[in-house]
Amino acid sequence: MDQLSQEIINNIISFIPHHISKPDVPTWDLPPALPSLAAVSRSFQRAVERRTFQSLLIQTSDAELTEFEKIFSISHRRLNLRTLFVNFLPAEGEGWDQYATDQDREADRESSTAILRRLWIVLGNWDENTPNNEIIPTIHLNLDISSFSRPSESRGDEDNHQPFVFSPVDLTDDAESFPAVPCIRRFDIVGDGPNWSPRVPAILTSKMPKVEQVRWDLGQDGDGWGRYYSMDKQYRSDLVKGIQATRLPSSVKDFTCYLKQPSHRTPGQALPKFVEDDAHDPVSCAIREFTRDCTNVTLKGPFHPSLFDPPKSGSGSEEQPCWQQMTTLHVEMALCSPDGSWLFRPERPIADVDLPEGLIDCTRLPPGYGDTEEELEEAEEFYQDHKDIIRPPTQYEYSAVALIPNDEKLNALLTAFARGCARMPALKVANLRIDFENEDNWPFQVICVGALHRLGYWDADIANGSGCCRVYLHVNEWRPTDATIEELKNIGVEMNDQPSTICFLPWGDFYD
């Protein structure tokens, strides 16, 4: 066997099933097949390790991190690892219940920082401890935060399984001293229940000097903290501070970010006003600046026209234009805007309860926030009295209701989109999309295609083989104003001195 090349042995092992099959024995009870093959020879051991360690899932418990560090202390094993899934488990504090206080949150920040610091030190050492004659490992790191429970002796209500519902998982400022981890080439951070503080992905990403693809999934499904819009306000503030305090590594060319949107039950309902009329959105402008040198950007969430057309002076303005290397831009806008408006509204009013005082103006804090015992008790009583309003049991009860465009807001959005596209000289495709539930469930969409890029049969059948910039609109019977059309035509003028070809797509024929 040792006379065979390592490549041939690797190929043999790739065809071996994970378990030794036996009649009438379920898969989970079958003995594993690979360990015995690893004992055949050192070459077979390397082949088995190559297959076994290609993709791993670990949790951040002390035992699993210790075992992970021990296994990969052997340098050649690191080269086998391609994808590392890390299930982050925040430390469980004694006496916790689901309504964490400031003291609880500080303790959790310290424990979370210690857990991730240990992981970062292990991965960071891979670069330093790799022999000079060996290749430095490169991995895809997927960091997921798990749903978990902390038993509560003092309360037994249905929220007990969500201890972080009002307390996003965060890190202390000491996280800024984490070591660099050069081996990470792709980084995904996602949540499955508890929310990450938006500071966390910004800090961690900044510690990856060679990462090329980054995905922040901060738009968890479900209500989260519900209609405590003070939490959304803090979330937005933390996001801006986090990305302004760090830099996206210059190696990043592909960036994806899904942001959480304010909870709502029906379109058209009252929403908080995070951005004043005719003002720029700090979140949209910060994301734009953060991704200035990326070539592919995908965004989803409650963004604002200033994402595409930032202010010309003052806060949010650009000393040097952003997105000069951008080739592909995909933005899926939420129905609601940070200025408290709706891009679409119901054709007929939908009944919704009046929200209690303090929610819309972001002054009402959730349980666990307060300086005195009386304030903590009052916050908890308020939540218990209004739970079905703050975190309603169902959401989006409007699938059968037609939504009609908000002409003013959509024209402002398309105008900003057109101006943004006109300033991206390398642009191939920019896709602006708004998904909403209607009888067809098809998106409102505008696609800008650069003059030198081709987009299938649309170019021949709809744009009649136009050789200049094309703008395809999938907007049903709605039409932009003449002024907006002129802005869309001007994209082509700025790009290659020819007005864009404007094409309205048949309803149902959209870019997916």
Side-chain angles (χ1 to χ4, degrees):
M1 283 294 185
D2 282 337
Q3 294 179 352
L4 297 175
S5 69
Q6 187 66 54
E7 184 179 359
I8 292 176
I9 294 175
N10 290 345
N11 200 39
I12 292 171
I13 293 298
S14 69
F15 287 98
I16 304 297
H18 285 281
H19 297 88
I20 300 172
S21 61
K22 292 184 177 181
D24 303 322
V25 178
T27 301
W28 53 86
D29 288 334
L30 292 173
L34 296 179
S36 58
L37 291 173
V40 172
S41 70
R42 186 172 296 277
S43 296
F44 267 75
Q45 179 185 355
R46 287 210 169 196
V48 169
E49 288 180 351
R50 179 176 181 271
R51 178 173 169 183
T52 302
F53 297 144
Q54 201 164 44
S55 178
L56 284 183
L57 168 63
I58 65 170
Q59 293 185 336
T60 55
S61 65
D62 184 69
E64 290 207 24
L65 288 177
T66 299
E67 184 69 12
F68 176 76
E69 184 176 9
K70 178 181 177 181
I71 290 173
F72 288 96
S73 62
I74 301 173
S75 61
H76 74 259
R77 288 177 175 171
R78 303 169 193 162
L79 296 176
N80 299 322
L81 186 60
R82 289 292 175 264
T83 304
L84 177 62
F85 294 93
V86 178
N87 188 201
F88 178 77
L89 298 176
E92 298 191 16
E94 295 183 4
W96 266 55
D97 55 37
Q98 69 273 22
Y99 304 134
T101 63
D102 288 342
Q103 182 178 357
D104 296 324
R105 281 185 286 276
E106 180 58 32
D108 188 77
R109 281 192 290 270
E110 292 178 358
S111 64
S112 297
T113 302
I115 291 170
L116 287 179
R117 178 184 292 278
R118 183 177 179 188
L119 175 63
W120 246 242
I121 289 174
V122 171
L123 295 178
N125 285 338
W126 285 11
D127 185 26
E128 296 179 2
N129 296 336
T130 298
N132 292 331
N133 62 339
E134 290 194 13
I135 301 171
I136 297 174
T138 59
I139 65 172
H140 167 199
L141 175 62
N142 186 299
L143 180 59
D144 185 10
I145 184 169
S146 174
S147 297
F148 61 98
S149 62
R150 288 179 178 160
S152 170
E153 296 179 358
S154 60
R155 299 179 182 87
D157 66 32
E158 60 194 24
D159 286 338
N160 204 34
H161 69 289
Q162 292 184 323
F164 279 110
V165 66
F166 302 128
S167 300
V169 177
D170 202 354
L171 304 176
T172 68
D173 290 340
D174 290 343
E176 296 175 4
S177 65
F178 279 12
V181 185
C183 66
I184 297 176
R185 293 296 189 272
R186 177 177 170 183
F187 177 51
D188 293 358
I189 181 167
V190 297
D192 181 20
N195 290 281
W196 289 106
S197 164
R199 291 179 62 251
V200 176
I203 293 173
L204 297 184
T205 303
S206 71
K207 303 302 178 181
M208 304 173 186
K210 296 183 180 179
V211 66
E212 298 169 356
Q213 292 179 271
V214 174
R215 181 171 71 97
W216 297 356
D217 188 351
L218 307 180
Q220 292 84 351
D221 293 333
D223 271 341
W225 49 69
R227 290 171 168 177
Y228 278 114
Y229 296 128
S230 57
M231 296 291 293
D232 291 284
K233 184 177 181 179
Q234 186 62 48
Y235 172 93
R236 288 170 49 84
S237 175
D238 289 345
L239 176 62
V240 172
K241 290 178 182 177
I243 62 181
Q244 287 182 342
T246 59
R247 290 184 63 86
L248 191 64
S250 60
S251 55
V252 177
K253 299 305 176 186
D254 193 324
F255 180 82
T256 297
C257 181
Y258 300 157
L259 293 184
K260 192 179 187 304
Q261 64 175 303
S263 175
H264 58 272
R265 190 170 184 177
T266 60
Q269 72 166 61
L271 286 175
K273 194 179 185 71
F274 299 123
V275 178
E276 294 301 320
D277 295 336
D278 300 322
H280 72 278
D281 173 28
V283 169
S284 298
C285 291
I287 288 286
R288 178 184 173 89
E289 177 64 31
F290 194 60
T291 59
R292 64 162 37 251
D293 296 322
C294 291
T295 56
N296 301 293
V297 172
T298 300
L299 304 173
K300 180 179 179 179
F303 291 100
H304 184 266
S306 51
L307 173 71
F308 307 107
D309 188 22
K312 292 180 174 58
S313 61
S315 176
S317 62
E318 299 172 354
E319 294 183 5
Q320 298 294 328
C322 293
W323 293 354
Q324 296 303 286
Q325 302 175 54
M326 183 79 71
T327 59
T328 307
L329 174 64
H330 295 281
V331 180
E332 183 174 332
M333 305 284 287
L335 283 174
C336 54
S337 175
D339 63 8
S341 65
W342 290 89
L343 298 178
F344 290 82
R345 60 182 184 274
E347 190 173 36
R348 56 179 174 80
I350 302 176
D352 188 31
V353 296
D354 293 331
L355 295 185
E357 184 179 355
L359 294 179
I360 290 294
D361 64 6
C362 303
T363 58
R364 171 66 65 175
L365 296 174
Y369 292 82
D371 296 327
T372 65
E373 192 65 32
E374 291 75 15
E375 289 177 347
L376 292 171
E377 291 179 359
E378 194 275 335
E380 185 174 339
E381 290 175 0
F382 179 89
Y383 175 57
Q384 295 299 331
D385 291 342
H386 303 95
K387 183 185 299 184
D388 289 342
I389 297 175
I390 295 172
R391 301 180 68 213
T394 57
Q395 198 176 15
Y396 306 123
E397 298 178 348
Y398 57 88
S399 58
V401 177
L403 299 178
I404 57 177
N406 183 329
D407 288 341
E408 178 185 358
K409 294 299 179 181
L410 286 177
N411 276 290
L413 177 61
L414 265 59
T415 295
F417 176 72
R419 292 173 179 174
C421 290
R423 299 181 190 129
M424 291 185 273
L427 184 66
K428 293 180 179 179
V429 177
N431 176 20
L432 174 63
R433 176 179 177 132
I434 306 168
D435 282 348
F436 55 91
E437 294 187 17
N438 53 33
E439 59 183 6
D440 298 317
N441 201 26
W442 290 333
F444 179 99
Q445 190 175 49
V446 181
I447 307 103
C448 174
V449 185
L452 300 180
H453 188 67
R454 293 291 163 255
L455 200 65
Y457 75 91
W458 283 355
D459 290 337
D461 295 353
I462 300 177
N464 297 319
S466 172
C468 59
C469 176
R470 285 89 66 211
V471 178
Y472 296 101
L473 295 95
H474 183 255
V475 294
N476 204 357
E477 297 177 358
W478 183 80
R479 292 295 180 267
T481 63
D482 291 343
T484 302
I485 292 291
E486 288 303 313
E487 294 281 359
L488 294 172
K489 288 182 178 181
N490 189 57
I491 300 173
V493 174
E494 294 293 329
M495 283 188 172
N496 60 346
D497 298 324
Q498 295 183 48
S500 307
T501 299
I502 309 298
C503 306
F504 290 93
L505 298 171
W507 189 237
D509 189 4
F510 56 91
Y511 185 72
D512 199 2

